[in-house]
Amino acid sequence: MPKLFGTFGVRGISNIELTPKLAFELSLALATYLHDGGVVAVGYDNRTSSEMLEQATVAGLLAGGCDCLRLGLVPTPVLSFAINHFQCDAGVMITASHNPPEYNGIKFWDSSGAGFQRTEERRIERIISGKKWRRAPWSQTGNARRADALTPYVRAVLKAVPKLKRELKVVVDCANAAGSVVTPSLLAMLGCKVVSLNCQLDGTFPGRPAEPSPQNLRMLAQTVLACGADLGIAHDGDADRTIIVDERGQVLTGDRVFALVALHHLRGRSRPRIVTTVATSSVLDDVAAKLGGEVVRTRVGEPEIIGYYGKRGGDIGGEENGGVIFFDWAPCRDGILTAAKLVEMLAASGMSMSQLDATLPRYYQVKQKVRCSDELKPRVLKALEKRFSRYKLDRTDGLRVGFDDGWLLIRPSGTEPIFRCFAEARDAKRVKELAAAGMRELRARVKAAGR
Ligand code: MG
């Protein structure tokens, strides 16, 4: 059987790869894994196939003897919050996050509100491949009831983030996706004047693709300028990530969103620990230095950050894609709380968004990729290690080569037949040199390995 779980749960094209039958089997396997029943929260995004998959998921859980708390249409961070709030034994989120609308996905969550770690996913895979699931006897099948998680979630955010010190005009772009049900109204309650863009729910995502990449945020940037807004806020499809557009229409990368929120959230803490990955900007090191804290870098991926936190602890986690994890809130990326913290920070600063961004050092980045078959990857990596052996090397995930004025990350993708090559430097010219050197070496080693 092929591996079911990818980087973020099970993903596939709805009704072709990800069918109601597979959703049923996955949730029956989850019920089997949980042993003696328990309560499982189930949420879904607004994709056209989500309700179909939710019904199948609920059926599988009930058949396995679990009770279900049906949360309905919610963003991913609300599902994580609800697991704690309602003291559930597990959670299931039906979403394909930033993928195109024909995709959908199923992701499992543990009782702490964290996504399943790889070892837990492997146990689910083993149950399915061996058809080792257990159906409950007729007298022990589960019950389902509906629950409202949005109201307690919003109440909790309003408790965590006080009303703004000055009114901000904010354009909110939710990609016609799940964030639409929370973020615009929440920001208005915090005291923002909200202009909503792509906030009518539509599972075909007609406004823009669900990935908040700079090229997909042109309409948001234009709207910020046209309205004279203080900033623009964009979520991905399930609102666990946030990207910012400043008042001049410039997109801030996810690294910088994370850095600003970390600076604000951790101020006043003694020696705070920021947990991030090897792919995130050095601007996090600058933030840690300002706070008198430290940065820990893990392998790439949210489960890696959560896994580190589970073993060693930390104060905030985040990635270069704009996902921020507030460990004292929930062990899950929360794009909605990120947005709330950012407007709080901006309002209190008295600065414009671009001025606030300029309080952190500027970095230049180049991100590229090279095709390479999976079987050649280890050999290529070894050859690169040898080539860069005189520099400072970090082998946490791929190869991170440290220079005095920047770094290079050459990393084999875990899901695609490619190597990624990231370069970062303080200087626009230097980053091009580093990127060119990285790509030259990478292409040469891939060619040599294929001979
Ligand atoms: Mg997402």
Side-chain angles (χ1 to χ4, degrees):
M1 194 187 76
K3 213 171 111 220
L4 282 172
F5 290 89
T7 328
F8 298 97
V10 179
R11 291 269 170 95
I13 296 174
S14 308
N15 240 359
I16 294 175
E17 293 161 334
L18 183 47
T19 59
K21 178 172 176 275
L22 180 55
F24 178 87
E25 290 176 353
L26 279 163
S27 53
L28 188 58
L30 174 63
T32 306
Y33 170 81
L34 292 172
H35 292 301
D36 37 357
V39 183
V40 181
V42 183
Y44 59 89
D45 72 12
N46 65 317
R47 286 167 189 271
T48 54
S49 57
S50 288
E51 221 173 312
M52 169 185 85
L53 294 171
E54 192 253 7
Q55 304 245 14
T57 298
V58 170
L61 289 167
L62 301 183
C66 285
D67 289 330
C68 281
L69 220 49
R70 304 178 84 167
L71 307 179
L73 201 172
V74 289
T76 294
V78 177
L79 180 267
S80 170
F81 169 88
I83 292 169
N84 279 306
H85 183 76
F86 296 115
Q87 296 181 344
C88 298
D89 299 285
V92 181
M93 184 69 199
I94 295 152
T95 179
S97 180
H98 57 277
N99 288 149
E102 62 270 26
Y103 281 79
N104 215 327
I106 293 181
K107 190 172 165 176
F108 292 155
W109 302 78
D110 68 19
S111 59
S112 76
F116 265 24
Q117 291 283 309
R118 310 238 193 267
T119 47
E120 295 168 308
E121 291 182 339
R122 272 199 285 277
R123 287 181 65 183
I124 299 287
E125 271 172 347
R126 276 203 293 276
I127 293 171
I128 295 176
S129 63
K131 295 196 188 311
K132 285 186 183 133
W133 45 59
R134 188 191 65 94
R135 286 194 179 84
W138 68 272
S139 57
Q140 286 165 35
T141 54
N143 296 304
R145 66 182 173 89
R146 295 189 186 276
D148 168 25
L150 289 172
T151 306
Y153 175 84
V154 168
R155 203 178 293 140
V157 176
L158 293 175
K159 222 169 131 186
V161 182
K163 221 168 146 67
L164 302 191
K165 293 206 165 73
R166 65 176 164 123
E167 189 187 77
L168 294 176
K169 193 172 188 182
V170 187
V171 184
V172 182
D173 178 351
C174 292
N176 302 104
S180 310
V181 300
V182 184
T183 306
S185 56
L186 175 76
L187 293 179
M189 283 183 240
L190 282 173
C192 292
K193 199 167 175 189
V194 175
V195 177
S196 53
L197 176 71
N198 302 322
C199 287
Q200 328 86 303
L201 291 170
D202 186 332
T204 66
F205 305 153
R208 68 159 167 92
E211 172 66 36
S213 57
Q215 63 270 26
N216 292 338
L217 300 182
R218 289 200 191 110
M219 205 202 298
L220 175 61
Q222 282 162 9
T223 312
V224 166
L225 290 174
C227 298
D230 295 295
L231 78 161
I233 288 174
H235 288 316
D236 70 327
D238 61 335
D240 62 350
R241 294 192 277 133
T242 290
I243 294 292
I244 295 293
V245 171
D246 72 17
E247 81 287 355
R248 302 169 312 173
Q250 297 295 313
V251 177
L252 270 66
T253 60
D255 305 279
R256 298 189 78 83
V257 173
F258 174 30
L260 286 171
V261 170
L263 190 59
H264 177 57
H265 185 65
L266 302 178
R267 199 162 268 151
R269 290 194 197 193
S270 106
R271 298 179 49 75
R273 179 182 287 165
I274 299 170
V275 187
T276 188
T277 78
V278 291
T280 311
S281 170
S282 298
V283 75
L284 270 310
D285 299 286
D286 301 314
V287 166
K290 273 191 189 212
L291 294 164
E294 60 165 342
V295 176
V296 176
R297 291 184 188 272
T298 69
R299 289 170 63 84
V300 170
E302 185 190 14
E304 305 290 342
I305 294 173
I306 304 274
Y308 179 93
Y309 169 73
K311 285 190 204 112
R312 308 254 176 86
D315 293 275
I316 199 167
E319 296 169 275
E320 88 289 356
N321 59 14
V324 182
I325 307 157
F326 303 88
F327 292 126
D328 49 6
W329 169 261
C332 167
R333 296 189 297 208
D334 192 328
I336 302 160
L337 188 59
T338 302
K341 290 271 179 190
L342 253 163
V343 292
E344 182 196 17
M345 182 187 196
L346 180 61
S349 73
M351 288 185 252
S352 70
M353 193 64 231
S354 61
Q355 286 167 338
L356 185 62
D357 180 44
T359 60
L360 296 176
R362 168 116 198 232
Y363 288 91
Y364 294 84
Q365 294 177 332
V366 175
K367 298 185 175 183
Q368 290 164 291
K369 54 189 171 187
V370 169
R371 287 194 74 81
C372 176
S373 66
D374 289 341
E375 59 272 20
L376 293 184
K377 282 174 178 173
R379 226 185 304 160
V380 171
L381 205 56
K382 235 196 169 125
L384 285 166
E385 252 186 71
K386 226 167 141 186
R387 167 66 186 84
F388 288 111
S389 59
R390 20 193 197 108
Y391 300 95
K392 208 177 125 207
L393 297 184
D394 177 345
R395 295 178 187 81
T396 305
D397 196 350
L399 200 61
R400 198 183 209 255
V401 189
F403 302 91
D404 291 340
D405 50 1
W407 53 268
L408 254 179
L409 174 69
I410 302 177
R411 193 177 71 82
S413 161
T415 50
E416 294 171 76
I418 56 167
F419 261 96
R420 295 188 192 283
C421 180
F422 290 4
E424 182 180 87
R426 291 295 306 272
D427 186 275
K429 192 167 150 253
R430 179 63 178 147
V431 77
K432 280 189 194 147
E433 285 169 15
L434 286 180
M439 288 297 278
R440 192 172 56 236
E441 295 300 333
L442 181 53
R443 284 204 183 102
R445 308 301 143 176
V446 170
K447 206 168 160 193
R451 262 188 224 130

